[in-house]
């Protein structure tokens, strides 16, 4: 399969790179992943990742025998014919883990939405079916308008910090720390888009008692692409409807995004993880007050878990506690969960009316409270598209 993909790229890329050239005077005239070839004043792309420099894109059609162009891909140009340039670690002396909050490179998220099914991460290393876990993708059709509105109004103000960035940043740092906070618009900005010209406060609830970020993850940057090296938990307030803005708790999160060379924005961000079924059960379902494409019946006093379990899957797809799958069941057909199963064997179905291992109720008078029990711990995978613009932190607020 890898060979076929490579051949397909070889057959197409030379045409794209050579026949459709854009005129330029400097690198700034070209887009991301390209540079200005000064000899002909056209935009050119020699590589997308470091591996392309060992065997350049389309080199089978050249006369140089696929000679190495370098060891490091920076903005579409191969650099570093000397092994020391391409392989020497960068930025290991300070990863920013212990730096004070708000002292690194700060961005505020200006776009956030649940993504298509092919966007996300492999959260459980099962690669089933295609290495992407995003079972909650269908929920985006209904949640995304509210998520977008929340970002535009600064109701969903998410602050992303890169701590420990090297002083002479040139697209690579092998040791940084990603820190994420809920933010407050310090300028009370009331426009249709937070453009990064204002300033923000870090929400006090995003910090521990000793003023450390609650959400941190070690990360690295190669060719301007930041990738977290470890998973993390994240609790953020999100507008799931006009009047509903709960704190949503995610687990096993990962984050990747492309930092603009001028460090003024980031794009192509993917934020993925698992939304525990317990967390979904604590969020009111705002989408089924009446029958719709999403809701085959009117759900009264229902939670988002009721909606997800009955329209997407009763079985969460990420086993967070390692004891086998769990299952949420509506026994009486009233559109509400009233039975929770635990430790369902791999490959077994989520039965309609019974289960071998029953999760106890937290409230004896509330059948759905089984979803609040600590044994009902698994989560539904989600992948989100994210972008952001640079801003400044001016303090901590409530």
């Amino acid at each position: 399969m890898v060979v076929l993909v490579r051949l397909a790229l070889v057959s197409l890329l030379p045409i794209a790179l050579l026949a459709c050239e854009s005129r330029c005077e400097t690198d700034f005239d070209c887009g991301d992943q390209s540079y200005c070839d000064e000899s002909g004043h056209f935009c050119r792309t020699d590589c997308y990742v470091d591996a392309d420099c060992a065997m350049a894109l389309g080199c089978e059609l050249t006369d140089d025998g696929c000679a190495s162009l370098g060891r490091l891909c920076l903005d579409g140009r191969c650099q570093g014919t000397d092994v020391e340039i391409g392989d020497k670690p960068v930025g290991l002396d300070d990863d920013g883990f212990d730096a004070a909050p708000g002292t690194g490179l700060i961005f505020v998220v200006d776009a956030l939405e649940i993504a298509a099914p092919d966007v996300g991460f492999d959260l459980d290393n099962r690669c089933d079916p295609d290495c992407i876990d995003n079972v909650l993708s269908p929920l985006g059709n209904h949640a995304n308008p509210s998520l977008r509105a929340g970002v535009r109004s600064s109701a969903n103000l998410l602050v992303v910090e890169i701590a420990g960035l090297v002083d002479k940043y040139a697209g690579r740092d092998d040791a940084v720390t990603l820190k994420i906070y809920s933010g407050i618009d310090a300028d009370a900005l009331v426009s249709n888009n937070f453009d990064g010209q204002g300033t923000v406060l870090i929400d006090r609830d995003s910090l521990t008692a000793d003023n450390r970020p609650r959400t941190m993850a070690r990360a690295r940057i190669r060719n301007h692409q930041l990738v977290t090296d470890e998973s993390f938990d994240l609790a953020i307030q999100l507008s799931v409807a006009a009047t509903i803005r709960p704190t949503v708790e995610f687990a096993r999160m990962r984050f990747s995004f492309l930092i603009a060379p001028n460090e003024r924005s980031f794009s192509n961000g993917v934020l993925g993880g698992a939304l525990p079924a317990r967390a979904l059960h604590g969020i009111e379902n705002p989408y089924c007050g009446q029958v719709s494409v999403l809701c085959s019946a009117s759900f009264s006093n229902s939670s988002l878990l009721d909606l997800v379990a009955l329209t997407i899957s009763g079985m969460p797809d990420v086993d967070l506690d390692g004891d086998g799958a769990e299952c949420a069941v509506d026994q009486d057909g009233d559109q509400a969960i009233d039975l929770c199963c635990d430790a369902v064997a791999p490959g077994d179905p989520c039965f309609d009316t019974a289960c071998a291992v029953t999760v106890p109720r937290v409230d004896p008078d509330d059948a759905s409270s089984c979803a609040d029990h600590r044994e009902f711990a698994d989560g539904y995978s989600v992948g989100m598209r994210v972008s952001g613009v640079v801003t400044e932190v001016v303090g901590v607020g409530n």
Side-chain angles (χ1 to χ4, degrees):
M1 183 63 70
V2 173
V3 173
L4 292 177
V5 171
R6 181 73 192 185
L7 291 177
L9 285 171
V10 167
S11 63
L12 294 175
L13 284 169
I15 297 174
L17 298 179
L18 300 178
C20 302
E21 300 161 356
S22 300
R23 302 294 297 175
C24 61
E25 294 298 329
T26 69
D27 291 347
F28 294 102
D29 298 327
C30 304
D32 292 338
Q33 298 293 326
S34 63
Y35 66 97
C36 187
D37 187 320
E38 298 178 359
S39 62
H41 295 286
F42 60 87
C43 293
R44 179 185 179 101
T45 298
D46 293 333
C47 59
Y48 292 100
V49 295
D50 294 349
D52 294 332
C53 297
M55 190 172 82
L57 300 173
C59 71
E60 287 84 351
L61 302 183
T62 68
D63 296 327
D64 62 6
C66 294
S68 171
L69 298 178
R71 293 181 175 272
L72 186 64
C73 182
L74 292 176
D75 297 329
R77 188 197 321 243
C78 290
Q79 299 182 21
T81 53
D82 184 340
V83 66
E84 289 299 319
I85 298 178
D87 294 345
K88 184 178 180 181
V90 176
L92 296 182
D93 56 329
D94 180 15
D95 64 1
F97 190 84
D98 294 321
T103 56
L105 178 61
I106 307 291
F107 300 99
V108 64
V109 168
D110 67 350
L112 173 70
E113 61 181 31
I114 298 174
D118 60 346
V119 176
F121 299 96
D122 176 17
L123 302 176
D124 49 19
N125 299 315
R126 292 189 307 176
C127 285
D128 182 17
D130 54 6
C131 296
I132 295 296
D133 293 317
N134 187 3
V135 74
L136 290 182
S137 176
L139 201 58
N141 294 329
H142 305 275
N144 283 344
S146 294
L147 292 177
R148 296 187 193 108
V151 170
R152 288 195 302 268
S153 67
S154 299
N156 300 340
L157 202 58
L158 191 61
V159 178
V160 176
E161 176 179 8
I162 304 174
L165 200 63
V166 291
D167 291 336
K168 296 181 179 180
Y169 173 72
R172 178 177 175 181
D173 192 326
D174 293 315
V176 296
T177 300
L178 184 74
K179 305 177 182 182
I180 302 178
Y181 319 92
S182 289
I184 301 168
D185 182 2
D187 302 312
L189 189 65
V190 226
S191 68
N192 288 329
N193 184 23
F194 193 103
D195 61 4
Q197 299 304 308
T199 55
V200 298
L201 298 170
I202 292 175
D203 192 321
R204 167 64 66 184
D205 290 340
S206 295
L207 303 176
T208 62
D210 57 351
N211 288 324
R212 295 178 63 84
R214 294 188 184 276
T215 300
M216 296 195 294
R218 288 183 169 84
R220 54 194 159 83
I221 303 170
R222 289 290 183 91
N223 196 24
H224 298 284
Q225 185 81 30
L226 181 143
V227 180
T228 52
D229 288 326
E230 55 191 359
S231 61
F232 55 93
D233 295 338
L234 176 65
I236 53 175
Q237 285 191 315
L238 293 177
S239 297
V240 297
T243 59
I244 302 177
R245 186 172 172 259
T247 296
V248 184
E249 299 177 359
F250 297 91
R252 206 175 290 182
M253 297 294 281
R254 302 179 189 177
F255 203 179
S256 174
F257 53 82
L258 184 66
I259 306 167
N262 62 6
E263 304 172 45
R264 301 292 299 173
S265 64
F266 74 82
S267 60
N268 298 338
V270 177
L271 179 61
L275 214 169
R278 284 203 308 262
L280 282 170
H281 188 246
I283 302 173
E284 178 185 346
N285 172 19
Y287 309 121
C288 297
Q290 57 189 7
V291 177
S292 64
V293 175
L294 180 67
C295 311
S296 59
S298 176
F299 291 28
S300 59
N301 300 319
S302 67
S303 72
L304 279 186
L305 178 61
D306 296 321
L307 173 63
V308 169
L310 299 177
T311 63
I312 297 178
S313 173
M315 186 177 291
D317 62 318
V318 183
D319 184 3
L320 292 174
D321 57 0
D323 68 347
E326 287 151 5
C327 181
V329 178
D330 172 20
Q331 291 180 295
D332 55 15
D334 67 348
Q335 312 296 321
I337 299 306
D338 51 27
L339 176 67
C340 301
C341 305
D342 194 12
V344 179
D348 283 358
C350 184
F351 295 103
D352 293 336
T353 58
C355 53
V357 182
T358 302
V359 177
R361 299 179 183 182
V362 174
D363 179 354
D365 299 322
D366 180 6
S368 71
S369 68
C370 61
D372 298 321
H373 198 279
R374 64 180 182 276
E375 292 180 10
F376 200 69
D378 291 348
Y380 290 89
S381 62
V382 64
M384 293 175 282
R385 284 288 190 190
V386 191
S387 64
V389 290
V390 74
T391 190
E392 180 185 0
V393 167
V394 293
V396 176
N398 292 319

